């Protein structure tokens, strides 16, 4: 460090030094970093159990230095339900993509929310199946081309993309639901605040907490990270509006 | 001396689970096992365990995964179609080496089938109903007493080997009422330093997973699992014998059918035929050695297996007998109990 | 000498996604398009320390937590 200067940001301790396998510019990595920062700042390492999904973030346990359980595809909410019920004083979160949370795991998601399970969903919505190579997701936008919708998603046969934040905010069991993005510095800061809020509400035992991050996938969207951020702003956010969808009753 | 009660098999199992120190129960109603979840729901306020009625068997088995990974003693119960739904979870649990107890109160199948008792899930139970090479320890109770005793044993074996234990019961044993001496509650708690409960500074993070992306790692995991299975095969074979000392005809049956077959042996001996019964209590590990010993004895003329299916365990008996003696299979399908006379007639015909 | 602050970018951790460069309000960062790190990737670096205002936009956006930010003490 140069003299006359102080360090105001460095890599969080809880983020392990293992090189993350995510493609350049992937928001998964940004969200991992934010979770690690919050675990450090809120001193949660000894209290936290994460549940990782099947999808691009399947190796999350290699990156964040906390105890984890790896779920079968779609079943993170079932695992998180049981973990929190067995260890009620721990902070429990599931980290899931759109295929995991909103396709194969929809039933587990909805019923955990409806029961008001006291854990936090961190939902990465990038409108595509990343790990398996760019297939259509339940949140793929109308007209968007993927390897299984090569001529663009047709609403007539595939339906419209699922709006999970709007859906889960209907349940009494859900205490907090917010949709955020990481497409610019201000939104990254909001995402961190939203996850912090969700963790705090979980610790207060007020109900299920749900943070949806409208995300990108430069590789499978077949564009540069820069263009992917433009697409988030111009294509994703008009259909998936940011904002707080559910607040705890005061 | 424990409490003596008159109970249904399903209720005895549920009560024993409480006494075994079960901390989390996750299940979905299905006939003929619903009394388990109903009994536990009634008892929940008086005890220190958590009950969640899940949205499906898929969710229940994954809740069991989560609870087991968090270090809890945990159980789910179901019947045949529900157990089919659980197979993905069983495979994950087996690979992640999580201790838990799963109960299948079998009904007649395939398909939606019938709610009457069946034994058609033998293959699924002992050969692995899910994907990949894995084994469950499979216990087959044949009385209400054993529904309770096997539950206590199942929790212990699960913890000892870090392996899922399946109680393969049937609709008859689950539903009948009998006298049962309930076991004393377990008070000791088992240390599970591998459990995912929050990382403390004194240890590396614990990760419960069945993901080994590098084939070399996956092979090594398989080698370790197989070594564990060989250990279980060497130590945990359980069976019961009835009048086998001079038997010329060895009847083999498990669960409710084994009770019918005791009668077959008695009826046969009344007619002057020296019959005996070998009843596997563990379906996996199977009593291979005992079958092989009997097959090698000159006086043993043949084996007859009686099952409520098209003949499933018979394959394991044939493998163990290894061609030394003929093995015949009889039974009924579709949820019908065979009569002792049917099995006896079948056996006598094959003696001609 | 840097005016208000400066950053250090771990070039081995950097994947060259350019998000820091794009989001720097004073355009003091750049992508090295001639050199690569050991992973074969171009990496970002601070081209002009003088302009850095230690706003942390770069470290906030960096997916790989490759950036350390220093601020001038008062």
């Amino acid at each position: 460090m140069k003299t006359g200067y102080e360090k105001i940001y460095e890599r969080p301790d809880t983020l392990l030094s293992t090189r993350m396998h995510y493609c350049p510019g992937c928001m998964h990595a940004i969200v991992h970093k934010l979770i690690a920062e919050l675990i450090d700042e809120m001193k949660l390492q000894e209290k936290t159990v994460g549940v990782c999904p099947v999808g691009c973030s399947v190796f999350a346990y290699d990156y964040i230095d906390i105890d984890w359980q790896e779920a079968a595809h779609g079943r993170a909410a079932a695992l998180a339900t049981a973990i929190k019920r067995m260890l009620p004083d721990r902070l429990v979160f599931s980290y899931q993509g759109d295929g995991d949370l909103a396709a194969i795991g929809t039933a587990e998601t909805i019923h955990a929310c409806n029961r008001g399970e006291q854990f936090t969903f961190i939902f990465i919505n990038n409108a595509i199946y990343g790990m398996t190579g760019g297939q259509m997701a339940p949140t793929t936008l109308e007209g968007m081309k993927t390897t299984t919708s090569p001529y663009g998603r047709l609403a007539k046969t595939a339906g419209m993309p699922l709006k999970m934040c709007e859906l889960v905010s209907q349940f009494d069991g859900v205490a907090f639901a917010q949709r955020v993005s990481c497409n610019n510095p201000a939104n990254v800061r909001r995402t961190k605040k939203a996850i912090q809020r969700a963790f705090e509400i979980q610790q207060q035992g007020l109900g299920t907490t749900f943070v949806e991050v409208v995300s990108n996938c430069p590789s499978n969207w077949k564009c540069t990270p820069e263009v992917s951020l433009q697409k988030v702003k111009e294509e994703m956010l008009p259909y998936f509006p940011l904002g707080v969808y559910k607040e705890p009753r005061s | 001396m424990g409490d003596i009660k008159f109970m249904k098999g399903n209720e005895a199992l549920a009560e024993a689970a409480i006494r075994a120190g079960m901390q989390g129960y996750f299940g979905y109603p299905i006939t003929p096992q619903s009394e388990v979840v109903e009994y536990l729901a009634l008892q929940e306020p008086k005890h220190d365990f958590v009950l969640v009625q899940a949205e499906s068997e898929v969710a229940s088995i994954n809740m069991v995964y989560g609870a087991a990974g968090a270090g809890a003693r945990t159980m789910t119960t179901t019947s045949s179609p529900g157990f089919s739904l659980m197979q993905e979870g069983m495979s994950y649990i087996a690979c992640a080496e999580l201790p838990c107890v799963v109960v299948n109160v079998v009904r007649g199948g395939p398909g939606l089938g019938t709610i009457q008792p069946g034994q058609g899930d033998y293959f699924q139970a002992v050969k692995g109903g899910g994907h990949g090479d894995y084994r469950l320890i499979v216990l087959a109770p044949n009385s209400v007493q054993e529904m309770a005793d096997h539950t206590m044993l199942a929790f212990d074996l699960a913890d000892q080997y870090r392996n899922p234990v399946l109680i393969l019961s049937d609709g008859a044993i689950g539903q009948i009422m009998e006298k049962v001496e309930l076991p004393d509650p377990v008070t000791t708690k088992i240390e599970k330093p591998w459990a995912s409960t929050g990382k403390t500074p004194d240890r590396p993070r614990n990760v419960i997973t069945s993901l080994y992306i590098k084939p070399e790692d996956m092979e090594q995991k398989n080698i370790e699992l197989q070594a564990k299975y060989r250990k279980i095969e060497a130590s945990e074979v359980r069976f019961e014998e009835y009048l086998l000392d001079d038997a010329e005809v060895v009847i083999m049956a498990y669960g409710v059918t084994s009770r019918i077959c005791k009668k077959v042996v008695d009826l046969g001996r009344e007619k002057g035929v020296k019959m005996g019964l070998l009843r596997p209590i563990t379906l996996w590990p199977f009593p291979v050695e005992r079958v092989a010993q009997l097959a090698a004895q000159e006086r043993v003329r043949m084996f007859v297996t009686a099952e409520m299916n098209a003949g499933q365990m018979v394959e394991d008996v044939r493998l163990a007998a290894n061609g030394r003696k003929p093995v015949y299979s009889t039974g009924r399908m579709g949820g019908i109990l065979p009569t002792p006379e049917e099995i006896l007639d079948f056996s006598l015909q094959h003696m001609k | 000498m840097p005016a208000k602050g400066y950053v250090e970018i771990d070039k081995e951790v950097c994947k060259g996604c350019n998000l820091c460069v794009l989001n720097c309000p004073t355009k003091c960062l750049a992508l090295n398009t001639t050199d690569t790190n050991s992973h074969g990737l171009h990496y970002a670096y601070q081209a002009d320390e003088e302009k850095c205002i230690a706003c942390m936009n770069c470290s906030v956006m960096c997916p790989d937590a490759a950036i350390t930010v220093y601020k001038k003490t008062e």
Side-chain angles (χ1 to χ4, degrees):
Chain A
M1 199 193 320
K2 296 175 182 176
T3 48
Y5 292 85
E6 58 174 331
K7 197 185 282 175
I8 58 169
Y9 182 81
E10 67 181 330
R11 190 182 175 90
D13 290 340
T14 305
L15 195 65
L16 291 154
S17 57
T18 320
R19 187 179 167 81
M20 291 193 267
H21 73 282
Y22 299 113
C23 306
C26 178
M27 287 188 201
H28 266 303
I30 301 185
V31 179
H32 282 24
K33 179 186 69 176
L34 297 179
I35 293 169
E37 288 175 10
L38 284 168
I39 286 167
D40 284 357
E41 290 163 20
M42 297 169 79
K43 299 191 177 17
L44 290 171
Q45 190 186 35
E46 291 184 36
K47 290 196 130 194
T48 305
V49 179
V51 182
C52 26
V54 173
C56 270
S57 46
V58 69
F59 295 116
Y61 58 70
D62 280 339
Y63 308 136
I64 303 176
D65 193 18
I66 54 171
D67 277 3
W68 287 94
Q69 291 205 42
E70 169 73 57
H73 193 30
R75 314 299 166 222
L79 266 68
T81 293
I83 296 165
K84 185 72 180 188
R85 296 278 191 124
M86 292 298 105
L87 305 167
D89 63 338
R90 300 301 199 278
L91 183 101
V92 178
F93 71 89
S94 76
Y95 186 102
Q96 302 175 257
D98 38 54
D100 196 85
L101 180 138
I104 194 167
T106 319
E108 283 79 1
T109 303
I110 284 177
H111 285 280
C113 288
N114 191 50
R115 289 190 303 263
E117 299 294 344
Q118 312 272 349
F119 67 88
T120 300
F121 284 93
I122 297 174
F123 169 39
I124 307 298
N125 172 11
N126 62 2
I128 204 151
Y129 284 74
M131 185 183 70
T132 43
Q135 295 82 10
M136 183 171 70
T139 52
T140 293
L141 296 171
E142 192 183 11
M144 190 173 157
K145 287 178 181 167
T146 72
T147 58
T148 51
S149 60
Y151 308 107
R153 180 184 182 130
L154 276 179
K156 196 178 163 189
T157 51
M160 289 296 281
L162 274 174
K163 297 185 173 189
M164 291 310 293
C165 237
E166 288 85 338
L167 183 61
V168 302
S169 60
Q170 305 303 310
F171 300 114
D172 288 344
V174 173
F176 176 72
Q178 184 173 352
R179 185 183 285 126
V180 290
S181 185
C182 289
N183 62 322
N184 59 47
N187 277 342
V188 176
R189 291 179 167 104
R190 278 186 202 108
T191 299
K192 185 173 173 182
K193 282 206 179 103
I195 298 172
Q196 181 173 355
R197 189 91 205 286
F199 284 175
E200 285 165 359
I201 292 168
Q202 181 187 153
Q203 286 173 321
Q204 291 158 22
L206 299 178
T208 308
T209 44
F210 191 96
V211 178
E212 174 176 345
V213 186
V214 178
S215 213
N216 64 344
C217 184
S219 294
N220 287 303
W221 290 2
K222 304 188 194 314
C223 61
T224 62
E226 178 178 5
V227 171
S228 79
L229 296 195
Q230 282 163 15
K231 281 178 184 276
V232 166
K233 187 181 171 198
E234 289 159 16
E235 296 170 22
M236 296 281 279
L237 295 187
Y239 188 82
F240 296 112
L242 303 183
V244 177
Y245 285 81
K246 190 76 177 276
E247 281 275 16
R249 290 198 197 98
S250 51
Chain B
M1 208 41 188
D3 306 340
I4 293 175
K5 292 235 166 88
F6 186 61
M7 293 178 106
K8 268 193 173 190
N10 285 337
E11 293 168 347
L13 178 138
E15 177 60 33
I18 297 171
R19 290 167 183 244
M22 177 185 72
Q23 294 156 287
Y25 173 87
F26 308 90
Y28 188 83
I30 182 170
T31 309
Q33 72 71 53
S34 298
E35 292 84 4
V36 179
V37 58
E38 288 166 356
Y39 183 90
L40 290 171
L42 267 174
Q43 298 298 319
E44 191 192 9
K46 300 178 222 163
H47 297 277
D48 191 22
F49 68 87
V50 168
L51 179 145
V52 178
Q53 181 172 329
E55 58 272 26
S56 68
E57 287 88 350
V58 175
S60 332
I61 194 68
N62 283 285
M63 289 176 184
V64 163
Y65 181 116
R73 276 200 153 183
T74 181
M75 178 175 89
T76 185
T77 58
T78 187
S79 180
S80 306
F83 190 54
S84 290
L85 276 174
M86 291 181 181
Q87 293 312 314
E88 182 201 31
M90 296 306 299
S91 172
Y92 278 65
I93 286 171
C95 186
E97 296 195 75
L98 293 174
C100 64
V101 177
V102 178
V103 180
N104 180 359
V105 183
V106 181
R107 64 193 227 184
L112 191 51
T114 164
I115 56 171
Q116 297 305 313
Q119 294 184 319
D121 302 354
Y122 178 93
F123 282 154
Q124 191 185 34
V126 307
K127 308 290 180 189
H131 57 283
D133 282 314
Y134 71 90
R135 292 290 188 178
L136 311 174
I137 298 173
V138 184
L139 301 170
N142 80 346
S143 64
V144 173
Q145 184 64 52
E146 284 193 350
M147 285 291 265
D149 294 347
H150 285 190
T151 303
M152 303 296 283
L153 175 64
F155 277 104
D156 287 342
L157 290 175
D159 280 335
Q160 185 182 343
Y161 292 102
R162 280 188 65 184
N163 205 71
V165 177
L166 175 69
I167 296 178
L168 192 74
S169 184
D170 55 66
I173 301 301
Q175 294 293 327
I176 53 171
M177 293 189 81
E178 287 180 323
K179 188 181 86 170
V180 53
E181 185 181 334
L182 291 165
D184 290 333
V186 171
T187 46
T188 48
K189 238 188 131 182
I190 292 148
E191 288 300 313
K192 297 181 180 177
W194 48 265
S196 182
T197 55
K199 184 200 172 301
T200 45
D202 58 321
R203 63 164 172 84
R205 66 191 181 286
N206 284 338
V207 178
I208 306 295
T209 186
S210 63
L211 174 65
Y212 298 88
I213 200 85
K214 289 186 190 136
E216 295 80 8
D217 296 346
M218 191 71 253
E219 185 182 48
Q220 186 51 39
K221 182 72 205 180
N222 270 285
I223 289 167
E224 288 163 22
L225 286 174
Q226 291 301 320
K228 177 171 84 172
Y229 299 150
R230 297 296 86 77
K231 216 169 119 191
I232 296 171
E233 283 173 335
S235 329
E236 302 302 341
V237 173
R238 288 168 169 80
F239 54 85
E240 183 196 346
E241 299 189 0
Y242 180 60
L243 304 180
L244 271 182
D245 287 348
D246 60 345
E248 293 170 12
V249 177
V250 178
I251 311 279
M252 287 193 65
Y254 61 91
V256 65
T257 322
S258 67
R259 295 167 66 131
I260 298 167
C261 287
K262 255 192 186 170
K263 183 75 179 171
V264 174
V265 169
D266 292 343
L267 290 175
R269 283 184 178 263
E270 277 172 26
K271 293 194 176 200
V273 183
K274 285 178 178 166
M275 288 185 152
L277 173 68
L278 176 60
R279 170 205 161 211
I281 292 172
T282 50
L283 298 179
W284 193 88
F286 194 72
V288 175
E289 230 168 278
R290 186 63 184 123
V291 173
Q293 282 167 1
L294 289 165
Q297 285 173 10
E298 227 166 280
R299 65 175 157 75
V300 173
R301 291 177 56 183
M302 65 184 207
F303 291 82
V304 174
T305 63
E307 302 176 76
M308 289 168 70
N309 57 39
Q312 298 191 13
M313 180 183 70
V314 63
E315 295 191 2
D316 283 334
V317 179
R318 283 194 182 125
L319 277 172
N322 202 16
R324 278 170 292 202
K325 293 290 155 61
V327 180
Y328 303 108
S329 161
T330 185
R332 296 290 295 268
M333 294 175 287
I336 294 179
L337 288 158
T339 62
E341 291 75 16
E342 279 176 307
I343 299 168
L344 181 64
D345 286 350
F346 177 89
S347 309
L348 296 180
Q349 270 171 28
H350 282 83
M351 288 187 75
K352 284 172 194 163
Chain C
M1 275 294 280
K4 294 182 178 166
Y6 70 100
V7 302
E8 282 171 0
I9 301 176
D10 186 334
K11 77 172 190 182
E12 288 303 318
V13 174
C14 178
K15 291 174 184 158
C17 73
N18 215 31
L19 296 190
C20 57
V21 178
L22 292 166
N23 285 282
C24 174
T26 65
K27 306 289 166 213
C28 71
L29 304 177
L31 192 67
N32 186 331
T33 53
T34 52
D35 191 25
T36 57
N37 62 20
S38 68
H39 304 283
L41 296 166
H42 294 310
Y43 53 86
Y45 68 104
Q46 189 155 42
D48 188 351
E49 276 185 351
E50 289 295 315
K51 288 191 195 161
C52 182
I53 55 171
C55 69
M56 299 208 300
N57 274 7
C58 56
S59 63
V60 163
M61 284 307 289
C62 178
D64 294 281
I67 306 177
T68 309
V69 185
Y70 300 91
K71 191 182 178 185
K72 195 175 177 106
T73 44
E74 296 305 323

